[in-house]
């Protein structure tokens, strides 16, 4: 008992020290954006609800930024128009923190149980590290919706789909109706043969979009015919925060970016993603690969959008801890550490004003290279039960040690890996 108490005390001190270190780091590294994007949402909704304006006609004063999401997103955010500004901030922050906590718990807790770590300690450490993660801190500082969309997709892929739930796909459909780009997860369901879930996701997205159209016909007409195609509302493609393939091409020639080159890169990247996704034996890896490719092929992937890389980074650690002690474990842990370190460092911003030259090409696109590396090299797992049959994991899949069979009651959850490549 005394030994357990001592261990708990050491862990509490460790979490406190880590939290203090992260707080000190954020005081220096984090940029205060003053909830800029949340102000756009809040201003547009207020203009629409209380001032009689059209939501897509609103521009934040002294900027070209307006509401860029589909009408269903406006419907979801509508209650914000009736809240004081401070309350809107509180709701935004709490929603991001809550969804992030649940998502990280789903990924980290099974790793902790398998590795024999104290579960609350593993979660606390992971949350501290997530707080320092640049895409995460940018999401919160901007008041963005990224973690909410990631959560909706994760509910489907990590919980409902592996359990065979007939509602699997609804989360992806809702996320798609809110921001369009998660629609690539519907393509993922099709590529991997999850026909029913793909139909459910498509149906959910269509249903709520039609609902928003019926409730707000003028706004819907303006969005689908005009606002959607007005790229000037999004921002400058060559801006260093755009860590997508389109951003890479735009920074090569900001005045005349090659659309053909971008399309060729997108097609190649999608082919790689489709091949690796079909080979993946679990939905967590599918979520990680699709999150990475979504950031790469989207015309605009601001730094805060890269929260979609978080599952891949955690899975690198997962695969490392499941591997026998040796070279493979070291390589995976080093890869995860380098990727994480770069994604908390604000590295790309050193080239914000001048991204010319070889150093500019490599440095200003650093986060793109990380996304590509995760897409190309994240280990892909298939499962083999002790009886010899291949199975897919249920829930968030975790690798078992190669020579230790899973308990009989858990063989539908974790099995011995058939291949890990």
């Amino acid at each position: 008992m005394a030994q357990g108490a001592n261990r708990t005390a050491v862990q509490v001190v460790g979490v406190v020290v880590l939290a203090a270190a992260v707080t000190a780091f954020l005081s220096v590294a984090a940029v205060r954006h003053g909830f800029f994007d949340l102000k756009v949402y809040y201003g547009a909704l207020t203009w629409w609800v209380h001032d009689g304006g059209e939501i897509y006609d609103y521009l934040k004063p002294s900027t070209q930024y307006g509401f860029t999401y589909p009408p269903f997103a406006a419907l979801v955010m509508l209650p914000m128009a009736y809240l004081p500004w401070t309350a809107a901030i509180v709701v935004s922050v709490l929603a991001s923190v809550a969804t992030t906590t649940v998502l990280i718990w789903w990924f980290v807790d099974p790793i902790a149980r398998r590795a024999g770590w104290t579960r609350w300690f593993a979660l606390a450490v992971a949350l501290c590290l997530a707080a320092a993660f640049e895409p995460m801190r940018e999401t919160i500082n901007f008041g963005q919706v990224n973690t909410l969309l990631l959560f909706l997709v994760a509910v489907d892929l990590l919980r409902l789909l592996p359990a065979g739930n007939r509602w699997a796909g609804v989360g992806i459909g809702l996320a798609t109706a809110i921001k369009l780009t998660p629609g690539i997860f519907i393509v993922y369901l099709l590529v991997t043969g999850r026909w029913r879930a793909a139909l459910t996701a498509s149906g959910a997205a269509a249903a709520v979009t039609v609902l928003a159209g019926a409730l707000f016909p003028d706004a819907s007409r303006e969005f689908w015919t005009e606002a959607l195609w007005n790229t000037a509302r999004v921002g400058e493609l060559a801006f260093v925060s755009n860590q997508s393939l389109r951003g890479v091409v735009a920074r090569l020639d900001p005045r005349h970016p090659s659309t053909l080159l971008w399309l060729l890169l997108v097609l190649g990247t999608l082919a790689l993603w489709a091949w690796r996704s079909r080979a993946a034996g679990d939905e967590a890896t599918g979520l990680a690969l699709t999150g990475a490719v979504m950031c790469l092929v989207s015309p605009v992937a601001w730094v805060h959008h890269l929260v979609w890389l978080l599952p891949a980074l955690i899975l690198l650690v997962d695969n490392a801890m499941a591997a026998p002690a040796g070279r493979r474990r070291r390589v995976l842990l080093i890869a995860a550490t380098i990727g994480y370190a770069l994604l908390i460092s604000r590295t790309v911003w050193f080239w914000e004003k001048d991204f010319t030259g070889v150093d500019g090409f490599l440095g200003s696109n650093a986060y793109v290279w990380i996304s590509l590396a995760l897409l190309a090299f994240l280990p892909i797992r298939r499962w083999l039960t002790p009886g010899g049959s291949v199975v897919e994991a249920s829930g968030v899949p975790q690798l078992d040690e190669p020579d230790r069979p899973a308990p009989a009651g858990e063989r539908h959850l974790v099995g011995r890996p058939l291949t890990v490549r």
Side-chain angles (χ1 to χ4, degrees), residues 72-110:
F72 178 66
L75 176 61
V76 172
M77 296 181 187
L78 195 59
M80 189 189 305
Y82 300 95
L83 294 177
W85 169 239
T86 302
I89 294 175
V90 171
V91 170
S92 173
V93 172
L94 289 179
S96 292
V97 171
T99 50
T100 300
T101 300
V102 174
L103 183 70
I104 290 179
W105 175 258
W106 285 345
F107 275 97
V108 170
D109 184 61

Side-chain angles (χ1 to χ4, degrees), residues 235-399:
E236 176 58 46
L237 292 176
F239 184 43
V240 75
S241 182
N242 185 12
Q243 290 294 302
S244 69
L245 293 172
R246 185 63 160 161
V248 173
V249 172
R251 283 186 285 277
L252 288 174
D253 186 359
R255 291 190 176 183
H256 305 287
S258 172
T259 299
L260 177 60
L261 175 59
W262 172 58
L263 290 175
L264 290 174
L265 290 173
V266 165
L267 289 174
T269 303
L270 286 173
L272 173 63
W273 162 73
W275 172 61
R276 301 212 77 216
S277 293
R278 286 179 61 84
D282 63 279
E283 302 299 349
T285 303
L287 169 60
L289 293 174
T290 308
V293 83
M294 183 179 72
C295 295
L296 288 166
V297 303
S298 174
V300 174
W302 304 131
V303 168
H304 57 76
H305 293 150
L306 303 186
V307 293
W308 291 90
L309 300 184
L310 195 59
L313 291 174
I314 297 175
L315 286 181
L316 279 179
V317 177
D318 182 7
N319 282 279
M321 297 309 300
R327 182 175 179 274
R328 179 180 178 81
R329 175 178 290 186
R330 289 195 301 272
V331 168
L332 290 174
L333 287 177
I334 289 171
T337 301
I338 292 174
Y340 174 77
L342 286 173
L343 283 165
I344 70 172
S345 67
R346 289 185 54 82
T347 295
V348 298
W349 298 99
F350 291 117
W351 289 272
E352 179 180 4
K353 302 299 183 183
D354 181 8
F355 37 75
T356 58
V358 175
D359 66 312
F361 176 72
L362 296 176
S364 69
N365 301 307
Y367 299 167
V368 178
W369 312 142
I370 294 173
S371 298
L372 284 169
L374 290 170
L375 176 63
F377 301 113
L378 182 70
I380 285 178
R381 308 178 293 193
R382 291 180 182 276
W383 305 96
L384 183 65
T385 66
S389 59
V390 177
V391 298
E392 289 184 1
S394 180
V396 178
Q398 305 298 327
L399 289 174

Side-chain angles (χ1 to χ4, degrees), residues 56-287:
Y56 295 108
D57 292 338
Y58 173 84
L59 293 178
K60 188 177 182 295
S62 303
T63 76
Q64 80 265 30
Y65 297 106
F67 195 84
T68 58
Y69 296 163
F72 178 66
L75 176 61
V76 172
M77 296 181 187
L78 195 59
M80 189 189 305
Y82 300 95
L83 294 177
W85 169 239
T86 302
I89 294 175
V90 171
V91 170
S92 173
V93 172
L94 289 179
S96 292
V97 171
T99 50
T100 300
T101 300
V102 174
L103 183 70
I104 290 179
W105 175 258
W106 285 345
F107 275 97
V108 170
D109 184 61
I111 307 174
R113 284 189 284 108
R114 189 190 65 242
W117 300 339
T118 304
R119 296 162 71 188
W120 72 262
F121 177 69
L123 176 63
V125 169
L127 288 175
C128 287
L129 296 178
F133 191 55
E134 184 178 356
M136 186 66 68
R137 66 187 193 238
E138 292 278 286
T139 287
I140 292 176
N141 283 333
F142 272 114
Q144 262 286 343
V145 298
N146 303 306
T147 61
L148 284 75
L149 300 179
L150 177 54
F151 176 77
L152 284 173
V153 172
V155 168
D156 273 344
L157 295 188
L158 303 184
R159 285 307 192 246
L160 300 184
L161 189 59
N165 191 294
R166 63 191 181 94
W167 293 104
V170 170
I172 291 173
L174 294 176
T176 301
I178 291 171
K179 202 178 176 179
L180 296 185
T181 49
I184 194 170
F185 284 93
I186 299 178
V187 183
Y188 164 77
L189 294 173
L190 293 172
V191 165
T192 56
R194 275 73 167 182
W195 308 111
R196 178 173 178 173
L199 182 62
T200 301
S202 301
V208 295
T209 298
V210 169
L211 173 63
L215 294 174
F216 317 123
D218 292 338
S220 296
R221 182 169 51 253
E222 183 170 355
F223 175 79
W224 295 109
T225 60
E226 296 182 27
L228 176 61
W229 314 104
N230 185 359
T231 57
R233 296 166 61 92
V234 179
E236 176 58 46
L237 292 176
F239 184 43
V240 75
S241 182
N242 185 12
Q243 290 294 302
S244 69
L245 293 172
R246 185 63 160 161
V248 173
V249 172
R251 283 186 285 277
L252 288 174
D253 186 359
R255 291 190 176 183
H256 305 287
S258 172
T259 299
L260 177 60
L261 175 59
W262 172 58
L263 290 175
L264 290 174
L265 290 173
V266 165
L267 289 174
T269 303
L270 286 173
L272 173 63
W273 162 73
W275 172 61
R276 301 212 77 216
S277 293
R278 286 179 61 84
D282 63 279
E283 302 299 349
T285 303
L287 169 60

